[in-house]
């Protein structure tokens, strides 16, 4: 692939890089999330406008900028302008890719960033240990995240004795969460993706209030779900098409399942062998 076909990182990713490795308060996460969501225009907003977007006070925006190491919001805004305009440097050549190709190339970039992120395995390993030890294991995914929760749970059930999927909202969601906790659940995996269902965020808060550890796979470290999580596993969502692409979150889910398996290898091996014997007896597969 020649250089003219390379797609620059989208504005959301370039803005998100500002917050990597910085421990933010819940209020600061809201500000960061607003800047990411409005990445293309964030560099031209006043402190008051950012405060209005994030539903916080203007002094909170100033403190947020200082937490990132800047003298104040004007200095942060200058930096935002630098990273936004830098993304367009050298882009005067005619585009080579169509919009579908750009979307897929952006997904490849998301996977490359996820691979780089996983150089430090500490968080994923800790998450796998928490989930492996929960009986039952609760997996939450509402709306767009429901298929990913089901996919994770399908394979997790081969190595874990009791996996419970919470993939629908309403009053039954709280009932099922309470039942799992009463049965002994100590941890929950939640997959929370844009546009962040309110019921999913409420379920995270309820789980933590009940004493459960919460592991969240979400699109960024400043996602609204991060506020309610003990461990956050960010995986970017592609937004170049009419509907989002969830390639990186799916990959993260499978990486996390590997960590679950690594946490109890002997039990996993025994359960996998039992499944293979059962599958052979029932002739489940043809290949």
């Amino acid at each position: 692939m020649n250089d003219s076909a390379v797609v620059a990182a989208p504005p959301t990713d370039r803005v998100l890089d500002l917050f990597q490795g910085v421990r933010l308060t819940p209020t600061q996460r809201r500000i960061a999330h607003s800047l990411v969501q409005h990445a293309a225009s964030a560099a031209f907003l006043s402190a008051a406008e950012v405060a209005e977007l994030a539903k916080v006070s203007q002094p909170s925006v100033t403190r947020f900028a200082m937490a990132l190491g800047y003298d104040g919001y004007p200095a942060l805004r200058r930096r935002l302008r630098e990273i936004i305009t830098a993304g367009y440097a050298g882009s005067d050549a005619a585009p080579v890719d169509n919009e579908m190709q750009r979307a897929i190339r952006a997904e490849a970039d998301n996977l490359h960033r996820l691979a780089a992120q996983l150089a430090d395995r500490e968080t994923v390993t800790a998450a796998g240990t928490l989930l492996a030890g929960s009986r039952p294991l609760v997996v939450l995914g509402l709306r767009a995240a429901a298929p990913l929760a089901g996919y994770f749970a399908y394979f997790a059930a081969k190595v874990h004795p009791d996996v419970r999927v919470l993939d629908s909202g309403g009053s039954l969601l709280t009932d099922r969460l309470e039942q799992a906790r009463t049965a002994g659940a100590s941890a929950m995996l939640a997959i929370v993706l844009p546009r962040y269902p309110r019921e999913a965020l409420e379920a995270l808060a309820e789980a933590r209030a009940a004493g459960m550890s919460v592991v969240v796979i979400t699109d960024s470290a400043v996602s609204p779900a991060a506020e309610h999580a003990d461990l956050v596993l960010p995986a970017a969502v592609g937004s170049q098409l009419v509907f989002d692409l969830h390639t990186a979150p799916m990959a993260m889910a499978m990486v996390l399942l590997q960590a679950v398996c690594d946490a109890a290898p002997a039990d996993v091996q025994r359960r996998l062998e039992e499944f293979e014997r059962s599958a052979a007896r029932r002739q489940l597969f043809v290949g």
Side-chain angles (χ1 to χ4, degrees), residues 104-227:
I104 299 304
R105 294 193 197 284
E107 283 301 277
D109 289 341
N110 286 340
L111 289 175
H112 283 304
R113 282 189 290 275
L114 179 58
Q117 171 187 321
L118 290 170
D120 182 356
R121 301 174 54 170
E122 182 178 352
T123 302
V124 175
T125 299
T129 301
L130 279 176
L131 299 179
S134 182
R135 299 288 191 279
L137 169 57
V138 182
V139 182
L140 171 72
L142 303 183
R143 296 189 178 269
L148 274 70
Y151 189 82
F152 177 92
Y154 172 79
F155 290 105
K158 298 182 185 302
V159 297
H160 193 286
D162 189 357
V163 181
R164 303 189 186 187
V165 182
L166 308 184
D167 57 5
S168 58
S171 59
L172 287 178
L173 174 59
T174 301
D175 290 348
R176 295 168 66 194
L177 185 58
E178 289 179 350
Q179 289 162 5
R181 179 58 179 148
T182 300
S186 59
M188 177 174 75
L189 168 63
I191 304 175
V192 184
L193 304 175
R195 299 168 57 194
Y196 316 111
R198 185 183 303 278
E199 286 181 303
L201 299 179
E202 292 172 348
L204 300 188
E206 289 172 2
R208 292 191 79 188
M212 296 174 64
S213 298
V214 175
V215 176
V216 168
I217 294 176
T218 189
D219 63 311
S220 82
V222 296
S223 156
E227 184 176 341

Side-chain angles (χ1 to χ4, degrees), residues 69-118:
Y70 298 93
D71 293 338
Y73 179 73
L76 172 58
R77 184 168 60 180
R78 285 193 297 272
R79 180 57 183 151
L80 286 170
R81 288 178 180 174
E82 289 174 0
I83 64 176
I84 293 298
T85 55
Y88 298 104
S91 62
D92 52 345
V96 175
D97 294 344
N98 62 42
E99 69 278 9
M100 295 179 182
Q101 290 175 297
R102 288 195 295 271
I104 299 304
R105 294 193 197 284
E107 283 301 277
D109 289 341
N110 286 340
L111 289 175
H112 283 304
R113 282 189 290 275
L114 179 58
Q117 171 187 321
L118 290 170

